[in-house]
Amino acid sequence: MSDTFERACAAADVPDEGVIPVEVGGVEVAVVKSEGQFFAVRDECSHAQIQLSEGDVGECEIECWLHGSRFDLRTGEPTSLPAYDPVPIYPVRLDGDDVLVDVKNPLNQKSL
């Protein structure tokens, strides 16, 4: 199996309990740091096609700023309305000072 991880950003670019937008392999991704862990989700709310990277982060969740839908960063599942559908989440790993993301192998296939 080939390595499909690509560099998304420097780990230092992502603030604690924060998020930055990046493009990885042609996919708009929100790279998030919450509770000391890095996560990657598609940078689009499943409810209203709004960039999640403009929302708030806390307790391993990201909130869409427009209507308040929240998503679990570990599963992509919505934890509050009005969203019903999950957002794609991607495998993340650290390589030295870099955050690598694999957009070719989402962790929650059903959300695609």
Side-chain angles (χ1 to χ4, degrees):
M1 182 164 104
S2 64
D3 188 1
T4 54
F5 281 86
E6 297 180 54
R7 184 184 186 278
C9 61
D13 291 344
V14 187
D16 290 334
E17 299 305 318
V19 56
I20 64 168
V22 298
E23 184 178 317
V24 179
V27 177
E28 297 296 322
V29 175
V31 176
V32 184
K33 186 175 181 186
S34 183
E35 297 186 353
Q37 298 178 64
F38 287 93
F39 302 92
V41 302
R42 183 168 296 157
D43 195 9
E44 182 178 76
C45 178
S46 63
H47 169 253
Q49 293 74 49
I50 300 297
Q51 285 185 291
L52 289 174
S53 60
E54 295 179 10
D56 293 325
V57 173
E59 299 177 355
C60 285
E61 292 185 335
I62 189 164
E63 180 178 34
C64 178
W65 66 269
L66 186 61
H67 296 119
S69 293
R70 295 183 67 82
F71 300 90
D72 187 308
L73 292 167
R74 297 162 293 213
T75 66
E77 292 292 325
T79 59
S80 68
L81 297 174
Y84 288 96
D85 297 320
V87 293
I89 58 170
Y90 306 103
V92 175
R93 74 176 185 214
L94 294 178
D95 182 15
D97 296 331
D98 293 328
V99 177
L100 307 180
V101 176
D102 181 358
V103 295
K104 293 185 181 359
N105 296 294
L107 293 170
N108 57 344
Q109 292 288 336
K110 68 181 178 179
S111 65
L112 301 176

